[in-house]
Amino acid sequence: MSAETVDTAAAAAPRPGSVRVHVRAALRRAAPALALFAAIRLAGAMCTALWAWHTGRHPRNLLGATWDSNWYLSVARYGYGSPTPHRMWPPDPLADLAFFPLYPGLIRGVSTALPIGALSAGLLLAWTAAAVAAWGIFAVGAHLHGRRAGTFLVALWALLPHAVVESLSYTEPLLTALAAWALYALLTDRPLWAGALAALAGLARPNGLAVAAAVLVVVGVRTWRRGRDGPVPRQGRPLWHYWTAALTAPAGWLGYVLWVGARTGWGPRGYFQVQELWGSRFDFGRDTLRSVKRLFLHDAPLVQYMAAAVLAVALLLLVLLVLDRPPLPLLVYTAVLMAMALGGTGYFPSKPRFLLPAFPLLIPAAVALARARPRAVVLTTGALAALSLGYGLYLLTMAPEPL
């Protein structure tokens, strides 16, 4: 072996502490974006706390025990199929099987390991996941378009009309964190990491399947190209890394769906029959179109009109994203999320929340802000902040329909 080969091998070998150094450097690079995200969400939490105290409610209960949060807390405390007083609809003991197990499992683990209750553990996990999601979103944006665009991408995600969900005990922050880092792993050619994160995303939410779809498409394209172009380049990843990622990515989602089928005794369709208890199924968007049509014919609460507006803007942003020709994993992930949100029945006011993990939709706007003049940036972000904080408070405290 030549001296040059030895030197090259030594340089390529992982040095002690190199991973820790890399993580610290990446965290320092993302620090301004994370500080901005924390400031925005802290402002939202303060608005919520002030309103809660004004109305005689405890801020922690308002943030940690609202709507679906109660279901996750119940699964964490008692397991699946244990009826609790807050359950009013649907009254079926199988209804809680609609909620995927990763988040309640983490709540149980944290509340067991630390001297805090399940409610506080849920909030701690959700806030941590939101911060990790912001870091992952920055990493994707900075990798594609530079640090300034990555920072604006984080800011836009923090200023969405439904961004209050990023401060609640909901699973959207957890899914977004796993998805962002899985997509970053795909963009930087780390298929094994992408597959593992996609499997966890599939245990977090039903639409976590979008992460697995991105991994599968990328693996398929990479395998086809290598088969067409000949032997694997020496500097490339071994092909078995991609095949392993393809097998791992859907394992979480598929495993839980099959487990629900066995638990209910309804077979492979068991999970989808549980979803039907909630009035939820996939009808290719017919129910969404009917909901929009009703807004033109009848009066409806503000949340209905805002949901329609958010969906319309999301479709426009998807067109802009396609025209921008993003990397394939971002496009597949976002398209599957959009299809699942628009194609499902029921819960029309919740559809913007289902799209919260679809942060790649914001990339064209983030790039535009990165190139804009300071005056335009201040006016745009100021208007978005007023909308996000005000509407988030309305959703959490005054809206007549579930978030």
Side-chain angles (χ1 to χ4, degrees):
M1 183 181 292
S2 67
E4 181 180 354
T5 304
V6 172
D7 290 342
T8 302
R15 292 170 297 176
S18 60
V19 174
R20 185 181 304 173
V21 170
H22 178 75
V23 170
R24 286 180 178 174
L27 190 55
R28 282 196 300 269
R29 190 166 183 251
L34 297 180
L36 180 60
F37 174 79
I40 294 171
R41 295 313 328 142
L42 181 61
M46 288 300 299
C47 290
T48 301
L50 290 173
W51 184 265
W53 285 322
H54 175 69
T55 56
R57 300 180 64 181
H58 196 290
R60 189 186 65 166
N61 293 333
L62 190 59
L63 293 171
T66 299
W67 301 114
D68 285 1
S69 301
N70 287 318
W71 288 88
Y72 289 114
L73 290 174
S74 173
V75 173
R77 288 166 173 157
Y78 312 113
Y80 287 105
S82 301
T84 55
H86 74 264
R87 297 188 181 180
M88 297 176 62
W89 186 90
D92 196 296
L94 298 175
D96 58 7
L97 291 171
F99 296 88
F100 276 52
L102 181 59
Y103 184 53
L106 290 173
I107 292 175
R108 174 175 287 189
V110 170
S111 61
T112 301
L114 300 178
I116 57 177
L119 196 155
S120 297
L123 282 174
L124 176 62
L125 285 165
W127 294 346
T128 302
V132 174
W135 187 10
I137 290 170
F138 171 82
V140 171
H143 177 79
L144 295 175
H145 299 287
R147 292 176 63 180
R148 184 173 172 83
T151 300
F152 277 113
L153 185 60
V154 171
L156 289 174
W157 188 66
L159 292 174
L160 289 172
H162 286 69
V164 67
V165 176
E166 297 163 18
S167 301
L168 305 183
S169 290
Y170 272 55
T171 51
E172 278 76 14
L174 179 59
L175 173 59
T176 307
L178 294 168
W181 285 107
L183 293 173
Y184 181 75
L186 289 174
L187 293 174
T188 55
D189 197 26
R190 295 176 172 90
L192 294 179
W193 276 106
L197 291 168
L200 290 174
L203 289 171
R205 284 192 56 78
N207 53 359
L209 186 63
V211 188
V215 174
L216 291 172
V217 170
V218 169
V219 169
V221 170
R222 184 63 61 93
T223 303
W224 176 76
R225 285 178 177 172
R226 287 195 171 180
R228 184 192 63 179
D229 297 340
V232 178
R234 184 173 297 178
Q235 70 274 17
R237 302 285 181 181
L239 199 56
W240 69 266
H241 282 207
Y242 299 97
W243 292 343
T244 302
L247 292 173
T248 304
W253 188 90
L254 187 61
Y256 182 68
V257 167
L258 293 178
W259 179 82
V260 171
R263 173 75 178 258
T264 59
W266 294 337
R269 284 188 49 83
Y271 171 77
F272 304 100
Q273 290 179 268
V274 168
Q275 284 286 359
E276 289 183 4
L277 296 174
W278 293 84
S280 180
R281 61 186 184 280
F282 193 82
D283 72 345
F284 298 93
R286 288 191 294 271
D287 184 71
T288 299
L289 290 175
R290 283 194 295 267
S291 297
V292 172
K293 180 181 177 180
R294 282 195 294 269
L295 296 179
F296 290 97
L297 301 177
H298 309 285
D299 291 334
L302 174 62
V303 288
Q304 298 270 356
Y305 292 102
M306 181 60 80
V310 169
L311 294 181
V313 172
L315 287 171
L316 174 61
L317 291 174
L318 180 61
V319 172
L320 294 176
L321 181 67
V322 172
L323 294 176
D324 197 44
R325 301 181 66 182
L328 183 61
L330 298 187
L331 186 59
V332 172
Y333 167 74
T334 308
V336 173
L337 278 181
M338 288 286 294
M340 295 182 76
L342 296 176
T345 63
Y347 302 99
F348 183 71
S350 298
K351 291 186 184 295
R353 171 168 66 85
F354 301 157
L355 288 176
L356 196 70
F359 68 90
L361 289 174
L362 304 171
I363 290 177
V367 173
L369 282 174
R371 298 170 180 170
R373 295 180 178 180
R375 178 182 175 85
V377 171
V378 171
L379 290 175
T380 301
T381 55
L384 290 175
L387 173 63
S388 178
L389 297 180
Y391 186 65
L393 185 61
Y394 166 79
L395 279 176
L396 200 56
T397 60
M398 292 174 278
E401 300 190 38
L403 176 61

